[in-house]
Amino acid sequence: MLRDINLIEELIRHIKEAGSYVLASPEDADFYRKTYTERNAQMDRWATVKPLPKLQTIPSSPTPLPVQKLLSPETPLAPPPQKPHTNPSPLRNILSLVAPGLQVLNDIPRDEMALKISERWRTKNQSAPLSILLFQEPLEQRSFLEQIARALDIYFGPAKTVQAEKIEKEKQWGTFLSVESLKMVVVCDYTLWQLNHLMEYYKEVPASGIRTLGKVPLFLLPDLALYLKDPLLKRSLWNALSQKCQHL
């Protein structure tokens, strides 16, 4: 309280000493009046500027759909649009003008046929003038056919057994039968019926009993189990083979 009284007395004394100009001189007062007037005029100009329009806000949905419904399998996604086939160069148009009969392929062809053609030399080398076909025979019957091949090779020229499974799978019987040196094919009758692609070349003349595979003479063997049970039948088989080979 005493401090406040002292401050008031000190202020009164200062006013008496300063005279009528306590806060500012007349020059300073004119400067501040002018500055105040200019500022008010500028504020009035700003007040005449139209305010910017308020941005419109999109009201949120009161009940948003759950993610499960948006991605439900009941509403499948549409497949992406397919790109149209475009030719990257004018070569196709040029070929259609200069060679209209030439076929232009959009995709690179597969090389299955080329591989088969490249393997033909192997198929041709498998044959012998007298070829005996083997196909899933039991071991004892296979051994018997190999003995027949050795006997034919000694008495009537080159002869050997040929594995028919791979040729049948690759459908190469046409190549096998086209070998010029091939004179006769020997095969069991039940084996021939299992080789469906080879059967396409089978021909028979019932009146004369002549059988061929394409143009190649064919000798059909009956069930080999008969010869293994009764060895005396082997002589009649050899006589029939010898007679056939002599007329080739």
Side-chain angles (χ1 to χ4, degrees):
M1 186 68 177
L2 181 60
R3 184 178 178 182
D4 295 338
I5 295 173
N6 291 336
L7 289 175
I8 294 172
E9 292 177 351
E10 187 67 26
L11 177 61
I12 294 172
R13 185 180 62 78
H14 179 72
I15 292 174
K16 290 180 179 180
E17 292 177 357
S20 58
Y21 307 107
V22 178
L23 298 177
S25 63
E27 293 81 6
D28 293 338
D30 292 338
F31 173 77
Y32 287 115
R33 288 191 190 99
K34 183 178 180 181
T35 303
Y36 175 77
T37 303
E38 292 178 353
R39 186 180 64 178
N40 288 342
Q42 187 175 8
M43 293 294 294
D44 293 339
R45 289 194 299 271
W46 288 352
T48 60
V49 179
K50 295 181 179 180
L52 295 175
K54 295 183 179 181
L55 296 177
Q56 295 181 357
T57 58
I58 301 175
S60 59
S61 176
T63 56
L65 294 175
V67 178
Q68 290 80 0
K69 289 187 177 181
L70 293 177
L71 300 180
S72 174
E74 298 177 357
T75 56
L77 298 177
Q82 296 182 355
K83 296 182 178 180
H85 176 73
T86 57
N87 187 23
S89 68
L91 182 59
R92 182 185 294 271
N93 296 331
I94 296 175
L95 289 176
S96 64
L97 295 176
V98 299
L102 182 64
Q103 182 182 6
V104 181
L105 302 179
N106 295 326
D107 301 322
I108 300 176
R110 303 180 66 178
D111 58 351
E112 293 180 356
M113 182 59 65
L115 292 175
K116 289 182 179 180
I117 295 174
S118 66
E119 293 293 327
R120 285 180 179 176
W121 66 274
R122 297 182 185 273
T123 303
K124 289 184 177 181
N125 291 342
Q126 291 181 16
S127 66
L130 303 176
S131 296
I132 301 178
L133 301 183
L134 302 179
F135 182 75
Q136 300 178 353
E137 288 85 5
L139 181 60
E140 192 174 8
Q141 295 183 13
R142 182 181 296 262
S143 176
F144 178 53
L145 292 174
E146 291 174 351
Q147 293 176 7
I148 294 175
R150 284 194 293 268
L152 292 175
D153 186 78
I154 294 173
Y155 288 96
F156 300 102
K160 69 176 183 179
T161 57
V162 178
Q163 297 291 339
E165 185 172 1
K166 185 176 181 181
I167 303 175
E168 172 72 12
K169 182 178 180 180
E170 297 179 357
K171 302 179 183 179
Q172 290 290 326
W173 289 115
T175 302
F176 178 83
L177 298 173
S178 65
V179 178
E180 296 181 359
S181 60
L182 184 60
K183 295 181 179 180
M184 185 176 68
V185 174
V186 180
V187 63
C188 295
D189 52 4
Y190 54 82
T191 298
L192 179 62
W193 315 142
Q194 298 178 64
L195 302 174
N196 296 326
H197 297 296
L198 181 58
M199 281 295 296
E200 297 175 2
Y201 300 88
Y202 177 75
K203 297 179 182 180
E204 180 178 359
V205 181
S208 59
I210 297 176
R211 300 182 180 92
T212 60
L213 291 174
K215 297 181 180 181
V216 180
L218 173 64
F219 188 94
L220 282 179
L221 296 173
D223 188 359
L224 297 180
L226 300 176
Y227 300 100
L228 297 177
K229 293 179 180 179
D230 187 0
L232 296 178
L233 295 176
K234 294 181 181 179
R235 180 179 296 275
S236 60
L237 174 60
W238 177 250
N239 292 334
L241 282 171
S242 300
Q243 184 178 4
K244 186 74 173 180
C245 292
Q246 290 173 359
H247 292 84
L248 294 177

